[in-house]
Every structure is written in structure tokens, then in C-alpha cells.
Amino acid sequence: MNQSNQILLAHGGGGTLMHTLIRETIASKLKNPILEKFDDSAILNVRRTAGRIAFTTDSYVVKPLFFRGGDIGRLAVSGTVNDLAMQGAKPVVISLSFIIEEGLPLANLQKIVLSIKRTAKEANVFVATGDVKVVQKGGADGLFVNTSGIGFIPKGVNVSSHNAKLGDAVIINGFIADHGISIMCEREGLKFQTQTRSDCAPLAGLVGAILGRIRNIHCMKDPTRGGIASALNEIAQNSEVSIEIDESEIPIREATFAACEMLGLDPLIVANEGKVIVACPAALAPDVVQTMRKHRYGKAAKIIGRVTGKGKPEVILKTAVGGSRIIDMPYGELLPRIC
Amino acid sequence: MNQSNQILLAHGGGGTLMHTLIRETIASKLKNPILEKFDDSAILNVRRTAGRIAFTTDSYVVKPLFFRGGDIGRLAVSGTVNDLAMQGAKPVVISLSFIIEEGLPLANLQKIVLSIKRTAKEANVFVATGDVKVVQKGGADGLFVNTSGIGFIPKGVNVSSHNAKLGDAVIINGFIADHGISIMCEREGLKFQTQTRSDCAPLAGLVGAILGRIRNIHCMKDPTRGGIASALNEIAQNSEVSIEIDESEIPIREATFAACEMLGLDPLIVANEGKVIVACPAALAPDVVQTMRKHRYGKAAKIIGRVTGKGKPEVILKTAVGGSRIIDMPYGELLPRIC
């Protein structure tokens, strides 16, 4: 049998070569008894009685595959775990599907699989089922990853982007725009004195800590593509409310802000991959912020605004100099290959 | 706002353009109340008490996107539905994730979405959650599709590739190798007098009909990449049994056989996308075959072999001329972009 340190088209053919790749390079690293059955689907035993399941999917096409603060594997696990967490679900299992371009160094795939393993462990989920496809050179930019996920929603939790209410405080768990800016710097070969790092992280633990203390969270949303501008507009539209944000309260690192200025980017539309926007009754907000700050992914948590009106979906930014402007949903975006 | 009859990079940016594409081109066609919430994950109410859930994922990279007998959309729904059905699960929901290369004609995406809608309806599943990414030209061969799926396994059903038993009959629901051969002809521009068509189809109905009558099915496996050679070897290895197949009993259309001969392909390793191999106690086999034949996707069902031994995983072909040879797991495969 040929040995190869690159992925070959034949690795996707359904034969021995594929089975060896799946078993030795992927499954043996992620090992768990369900994945290792290698059946067409994973069988999960649901012991609880009736309840609510959250189900989500996301494909990841980030370029480069490795970047400061993460890689496509960490991103793929975090992104899907976070989509489940945003509904108040406890993430339980994920699926993992690779589309690999022939010629991808096997060592890169191995590094990514290890990163997936570490991130899944951190998020307390396991990879239950998977798939590998190989496409011809020029077909997939090295590697695309899809992760889908299932989580269970605890009784009494009712978190949704449709659920923000008049009087709610709006909170964020830390610095914005780090992910998009670091991908952009990486891709364009830009070097600043202080380099930014992606904030890419699974938020299941942080969200679990919040919901463990405070059940009455109305809304959570991760501001990924389109940044907090897009996420806040989605909340405003889905909940039919107007939201006011204080520019001076939005946490942003100096280096990230400087890079945005230099690149001519509005940090509000730059992607994040480890942030959550929370809307909850104002009286509970200090407790949410305190709970966030005790967690590694919430050290710079802050109240950044409030829900000020009903019926007219809009997002208003109170600027640092005392003015105000409407933040629109961005149209397209400047950084397409960031997630 | 610009109108475009092609997908632009900006369609993947998280802004208005993306939301319009998702709402108008995709979700409005697949419409159902869960998908239309546009939350980060879909919430499913599980009304039953404790039970088993099947969970699976697959990415589809077939080229060309449209082929005789199907398209990437029909393939993506069928493949995932079939992976669930192979565990005896009743498929319930699927997720849908598109990776689109900029420049894809919008009309092609619309056709594919309609095909997904029709196939999902036929399979009695709904699209609960989805995702769209757009990559630069040269990044994704037009379109890749990932579908993941969830199904529920009825009590008393225990179907697995690990579960074939000595004495079982081995059954297939019809003609082999039609999918792989028609993709190959399409791709290479080959024309034969009688053209083959892909067998691409969701088998949830067929499998449901079988399990509705006969609970004691031991094993089901869809012979996709790597053909029936790969599927039978997986069953043999996972169940630790030897399987004997009668070459003369394997249903294959004349046109497909002729094309295989001309192309120098062994039809046993050519992919199928609407076939299921069933292993069940020999006494139940005639009933399984009769049940299959009453279904549109089982008209040419046949018993093709039997499980003849324990402990030594191998697949033996009794040839039409009275000899026998071992069918190995194929190594790589000749037709990489077939699913």
C-alpha cells in the first residue's frame, strides 16, 4: 500500500485508502465508542423524557487554515457549539465533514484534527459522526469543514433572537473585532506592532455559567459575519425592538482599533468568533456581567446598551462625542473568507 | 440595491445581501415554521419519551451539478436520508449548508433548491436549519452541499452493519452501478445508444415499508462510494462474517453493463445512490423481496447471496461460470467526484 504525506484524490474513493485515512488520521484521534462504530449514522440514546432539541449546521471556509488564535478546526467546533449555546442549549454532539483538496499535506489535516479534539473537549461535546470527501486541485482551497450539532435545552430556558424586550440591558462578553482583523492581517501579510489574535472560542461554558445562575435571559446572539452591527440588527428585526448602544462602552482593544482605522474598517461590522451579545432584564444585568467576568471568555464583559423601544426595528449608536446615528445592517462585507 | 443573476462574494458576508439570498432564494422555497425563525439553531420539540436518535452528516461534491436522473440537491437529501434509514431510523429533519463559488448562476441555485424541496417532500423530512458560505472563484467547483440529518429509531428495531448473522440472506433492491456510470458518461461526454440514468433516490419510504412488516432486519447498508464491493466488505468486517454473492443474481441493466465493459470498470465498485443491501434471516427474505417489489424503488429486488461463515471477514463472488473469487475492499476508486 502506498504511503503518502499528501491527501490524494483516491483518499475519497470509498476504498481501503479512505477507510484507513478515516480510521487512523481522524477517528483514532477523536476516539469515542459512537464514532468508532463507523455506521452510516450515529445512534444516540436519549434518556430524558420529552424535551427540546436544538439543531444547527455551519460550513467553514476560512483562509488561511491556521491563524493567530486558532485554526479552521477550532473555528468549526466553536462556531457550531456557539450556535447551539445561543438558543440556551447544552451542546452534546457534533458531526464533522471534511471537504479536502487533493495535495493537502497530511500533517496539516492531523494538526486540525487535534485542534478539533481539544476544542471539543473544552466545549464538552463529542464528534459522533463524520464524512470525508476529496476534490481535485483547484476545487476547495485546501480544506472546508462542516460541523452540525445537537444540544438539549433545559426546562425553563427560553432564549431567542426573537425575544428581546423593552427595558432589557444589552451586554457583550468582551473585546470586539479581533477575529476579523487578525484573519485580515494574516491574509494580507500586515504586521502591526501589537498583533491581534482571533477570539475564536467555544462559549458553551460561559453560557452555561450564566444560565445556571440566571434563567431569565431573553436573547443571546453571536456576532460573527457582519459583526455586532449585523447581530444587533437581527435582534432588532426579529424581536421588533429598537436598541441603543453607547459607542464609548463597546470594548475594543487599542491594537484592533488602530488596525481598523488603518484599514478603513468599521469595527462594528468586523467578525467575532468568541463573543455573545446578551439581552436580559436590566435588573439582572449586573449579575450577568459579574458571572461573565469570572469566566475566561468574559473578563472584559460590559453593558453596552439597552432596548429602548417597541415596534420599530432599529439600532442607534450614541457616539462618544454625544451624537447619535443609525447602524444599518451591513450590505455585503469586506472580509468574505473569515469563517 | 444591486440585482445580480450570479452569486457574488458579498452574498456570503453576513449583510443584507446574504439575508435576502437566504430568505428569498432558499428559505421561502423550503418554507416551514422552524426554518423561518432564522435563529442560530432550530428548536425541535421531542414529544416522545426516551428513545434513540440517529444523527448523520455528508458533504456532496458531485460534478456536474446536474446529471441524468438527478442533481446535487436530490443527491444531498437522498444520501443523508438514506444514511439515517440504514440504521432503521425514520428521518425527521435535515440541515442544509451551501458552499457556493462566486459566479454560480442564481438560476442554478434556484433549480437545486427546488429539487431539494421535492426530494425532502418525497422523503417526508423538512429542512430545519441552514447556512450559506460564498468562496472566491476557483474555490469550490460551483457548489458543494452538506446535509446532516436526525431520525428517530422505532422501538424493537436494531439494524446495523455490525449485525449480519450466519445464515442471513443478502438482498438488494435493484440494478447496480447506474449512478456512477451515468456521472462518468455525463462528465466525459460519452454517449451510448441506451443512456443510463442515476438511481439517486431517498429510500426512507422503502425502508419504512420493510420495517413496518418485518422488524427482524439485521443489517442495511447503502452501497455508495466503492459500490457493492465496498458495502459488502464493510458488512463482513463490521459483523465479522463471510458473505457469498452469486454473480448471476446481481441485477444490472444491459446498458450499464456494456458501459462498464467499454470503460474497463468493475460494476461491483461503481457507486449507487438509491440502493440498499439488506441482511435478514433467510426465512424472512422472500417477504422482504416481495415488499421491496411493491415499492417504486424496489421493482428489481433480488436475493443475491448469503452469510456463510463466522469469524473470518471476507466476501466471495460465485462467478457465472461456476468459479469463485474473493472481492476485496477496493483501494482507491476510479470515479472520485460522484457524490
Side-chain angles (χ1 to χ4, degrees), chain B residues 2-320:
Chain B
N2 291 330
Q3 292 296 321
S4 169
N5 55 10
Q6 291 194 330
I7 299 296
L8 310 173
L9 257 188
H11 274 115
T16 325
L17 206 57
M18 184 181 89
H19 288 101
T20 307
L21 177 75
I22 291 177
R23 280 169 205 259
E24 289 175 16
T25 307
I26 303 172
S28 70
K29 299 299 178 296
L30 302 173
K31 65 173 152 230
N32 65 63
I34 291 180
L35 185 61
E36 284 176 349
K37 288 206 86 174
F38 296 109
D39 258 329
D40 286 312
S41 22
I43 308 295
L44 314 170
N45 281 301
V46 184
R47 271 187 219 88
R48 69 197 66 209
T49 50
R52 287 170 302 157
I53 291 177
F55 178 39
T56 192
T57 190
D58 240 318
S59 290
Y60 299 85
V61 300
V62 67
K63 206 174 175 182
L65 299 179
F66 301 92
F67 47 84
R68 285 175 60 87
D71 58 75
I72 194 170
R74 180 165 173 83
L75 188 63
V77 177
S78 300
T80 287
V81 160
N82 293 351
D83 279 345
L84 295 172
M86 293 306 114
Q87 308 297 124
K90 185 185 162 341
V92 179
V93 290
I94 60 173
S95 63
L96 175 62
S97 175
F98 287 119
I99 300 175
I100 309 175
E101 190 180 58
E102 59 169 338
L104 182 79
L106 198 59
N108 287 2
L109 184 62
Q110 286 163 336
K111 272 169 71 177
I112 288 162
V113 169
L114 282 180
S115 173
I116 287 169
K117 180 190 180 173
R118 273 193 302 268
T119 315
K121 193 174 173 197
E122 184 188 340
N124 205 14
V125 294
F126 67 95
V127 177
T129 186
D131 172 50
V132 173
K133 292 289 176 347
V134 181
V135 297
Q136 271 154 317
K137 211 157 182 72
D141 273 1
L143 180 69
F144 298 148
V145 182
N146 177 281
T147 44
S148 300
I150 299 178
F152 293 110
I153 302 175
K155 276 212 167 135
V157 167
N158 183 20
V159 181
S160 161
S161 67
H162 296 254
N163 207 22
K165 290 189 167 47
L166 183 63
D168 278 358
V170 176
I171 303 163
I172 195 163
N173 63 320
F175 301 107
I176 67 162
D178 286 345
H179 178 73
I181 288 299
S182 43
I183 295 292
M184 179 132 220
C185 291
E186 202 91 41
R187 206 149 63 201
E188 307 299 329
L190 301 174
K191 293 229 186 284
F192 295 100
Q193 258 190 326
T194 318
Q195 295 239 307
T196 52
R197 292 173 68 82
S198 167
D199 61 340
C200 174
L203 298 176
L206 178 76
V207 167
I210 297 168
L211 290 173
R213 264 186 80 82
I214 307 130
R215 279 276 145 134
N216 192 19
I217 299 294
H218 290 157
C219 165
M220 291 194 281
K221 179 94 199 149
D222 52 339
T224 55
R225 281 184 289 182
I228 70 168
S230 183
L232 290 166
N233 269 286
E234 274 190 66
I235 296 171
Q237 281 163 22
N238 289 348
S239 300
E240 297 184 9
V241 294
S242 42
I243 297 172
E244 207 174 81
I245 298 295
D246 302 315
E247 189 175 31
S248 57
E249 297 301 311
I250 301 172
I252 183 164
R253 288 178 210 275
E254 234 174 274
T256 306
F257 187 76
C260 284
E261 293 270 289
M262 279 193 57
L263 297 165
L265 292 175
D266 179 354
L268 302 188
I269 69 165
V270 176
N272 311 272
E273 290 291 348
K275 290 297 162 301
V276 50
I277 293 173
V278 172
C280 70
L284 304 175
D287 197 2
V288 171
V289 170
Q290 283 315 310
T291 308
M292 283 180 169
R293 286 188 179 166
K294 281 183 198 142
H295 194 278
R296 61 188 291 206
Y297 298 133
K299 297 261 175 270
K302 258 189 142 174
I303 299 172
I304 58 169
R306 63 215 72 82
V307 178
T308 51
K310 266 183 80 170
K312 190 182 175 201
E314 63 178 7
V315 180
I316 296 149
L317 186 75
K318 309 285 276 184
T319 61

Side-chain angles (χ1 to χ4, degrees), chain A residues 1-3 8-19 22-23 36-61 63 82-87 89 93-99 101 128-136 138-141 144-150 152-153 159-162 220-222 225-226 230 234 237-238 329-333 335-337 339, chain B residues 1-3 8-19 22-23 36-61 63 82-87 89 93-99 101 128-136 138-141 144-150 152-153 159-162 220-222 225-226 230 234 237-238 329-333 335-337 339:
Chain A
M1 198 180 287
N2 292 331
Q3 293 298 320
L8 310 173
L9 258 187
H11 274 116
T16 325
L17 205 56
M18 183 181 89
H19 288 101
I22 291 177
R23 280 168 204 261
E36 285 178 348
K37 288 205 89 174
F38 296 109
D39 258 329
D40 286 310
S41 21
I43 309 296
L44 314 171
N45 281 300
V46 184
R47 270 188 220 89
R48 68 198 65 209
T49 50
R52 287 170 303 157
I53 291 177
F55 179 38
T56 192
T57 191
D58 240 319
S59 290
Y60 299 85
V61 299
K63 206 174 174 180
N82 293 352
D83 279 345
L84 295 172
M86 293 307 114
Q87 307 299 122
V93 290
I94 59 172
S95 63
L96 175 63
S97 175
F98 287 119
I99 300 176
E101 190 181 57
T129 185
D131 172 50
V132 173
K133 292 289 174 354
V134 182
V135 298
Q136 272 154 316
D141 272 1
F144 298 149
V145 181
N146 176 282
T147 43
S148 299
I150 299 177
F152 293 110
I153 302 175
V159 181
S160 161
S161 67
H162 296 254
M220 290 194 281
K221 178 94 200 148
D222 52 340
R225 280 184 289 182
S230 182
E234 274 189 67
Q237 281 163 22
N238 289 349
M329 177 73 90
Y331 176 64
E333 210 230 4
L335 297 168
R337 307 294 291 281
C339 58
Chain B
M1 199 180 289
N2 291 330
Q3 292 296 321
L8 310 173
L9 257 188
H11 274 115
T16 325
L17 206 57
M18 184 181 89
H19 288 101
I22 291 177
R23 280 169 205 259
E36 284 176 349
K37 288 206 86 174
F38 296 109
D39 258 329
D40 286 312
S41 22
I43 308 295
L44 314 170
N45 281 301
V46 184
R47 271 187 219 88
R48 69 197 66 209
T49 50
R52 287 170 302 157
I53 291 177
F55 178 39
T56 192
T57 190
D58 240 318
S59 290
Y60 299 85
V61 300
K63 206 174 175 182
N82 293 351
D83 279 345
L84 295 172
M86 293 306 114
Q87 308 297 124
V93 290
I94 60 173
S95 63
L96 175 62
S97 175
F98 287 119
I99 300 175
E101 190 180 58
T129 186
D131 172 50
V132 173
K133 292 289 176 347
V134 181
V135 297
Q136 271 154 317
D141 273 1
F144 298 148
V145 182
N146 177 281
T147 44
S148 300
I150 299 178
F152 293 110
I153 302 175
V159 181
S160 161
S161 67
H162 296 254
M220 291 194 281
K221 179 94 199 149
D222 52 339
R225 281 184 289 182
S230 183
E234 274 190 66
Q237 281 163 22
N238 289 348
M329 178 71 88
Y331 177 63
E333 209 230 2
L335 297 168
R337 307 293 290 280
C339 57

Side-chain angles (χ1 to χ4, degrees), chain A residues 103-130:
Chain A
L104 182 79
L106 197 59
N108 287 1
L109 183 63
Q110 286 162 337
K111 271 169 72 177
I112 288 161
V113 169
L114 281 180
S115 173
I116 287 169
K117 180 189 179 173
R118 273 193 302 267
T119 315
K121 191 172 174 201
E122 185 189 340
N124 205 14
V125 295
F126 67 95
V127 177
T129 185

